[in-house]
């Protein structure tokens, strides 16, 4: 299982301007991060909640549908989120590059 997580992280980190990555388990607890603890906790909690709400919304519209990838862009950062069966992968990227 750990090698699967490492492989997905290596794939995601290859993007230009990456600031950091976070892996969150099904319970919303960050299990691996390249960011500081405060930022990791903030991002993992907020994004985990957002992904769960989006999943619920799309399931209500079409029960056979699900989220594969979520991209959120702010003035400062871009968040690329890959929900997996067991984990949530978050890549934080600088938007100024």
């Amino acid at each position: 299982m750990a090698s699967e997580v490492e492989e997905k992280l290596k794939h995601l980190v290859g993007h230009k301007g990456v600031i950091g990555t976070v892996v969150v388990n099904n319970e919303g607890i960050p299990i691996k991060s390249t960011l500081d603890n405060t930022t990791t906790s903030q991002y993992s909690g907020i994004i985990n909640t957002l992904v769960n709400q989006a999943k619920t919304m799309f399931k209500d519209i079409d029960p056979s549908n699900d989220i594969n990838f979520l991209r959120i862009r702010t003035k400062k950062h871009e968040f690329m989120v890959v929900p997996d069966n067991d984990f949530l992968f978050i890549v934080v990227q600088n938007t100024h590059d």
Side-chain angles (χ1 to χ4, degrees), residues 2-36:
S3 64
E4 181 182 340
V5 172
E6 291 294 331
E7 278 300 311
K8 289 195 180 199
L9 274 179
K10 285 178 188 176
H11 175 71
L12 294 173
V13 172
H15 292 276
K16 181 182 176 188
V18 169
I19 296 169
T21 61
V22 182
V23 180
V24 182
N25 70 12
N26 282 338
E27 298 169 359
I29 299 169
I31 57 171
K32 186 170 180 99
S33 178
T34 59
L35 301 169
D36 64 79

Side-chain angles (χ1 to χ4, degrees), residues 30-72:
I31 57 171
K32 186 170 180 99
S33 178
T34 59
L35 301 169
D36 64 79
N37 289 338
T38 302
T39 305
T40 297
S41 294
Q42 288 175 336
Y43 288 169
S44 61
I46 291 169
I47 292 175
N48 189 50
T49 300
L50 181 62
V51 168
N52 286 334
Q53 289 175 342
K55 282 182 175 185
T56 300
M57 180 188 74
F58 286 111
K59 288 286 186 189
D60 287 347
I61 295 169
D62 179 359
S64 67
N65 205 359
D66 203 359
I67 294 176
N68 294 327
F69 186 82
L70 183 63
R71 181 176 240 156
I72 305 161

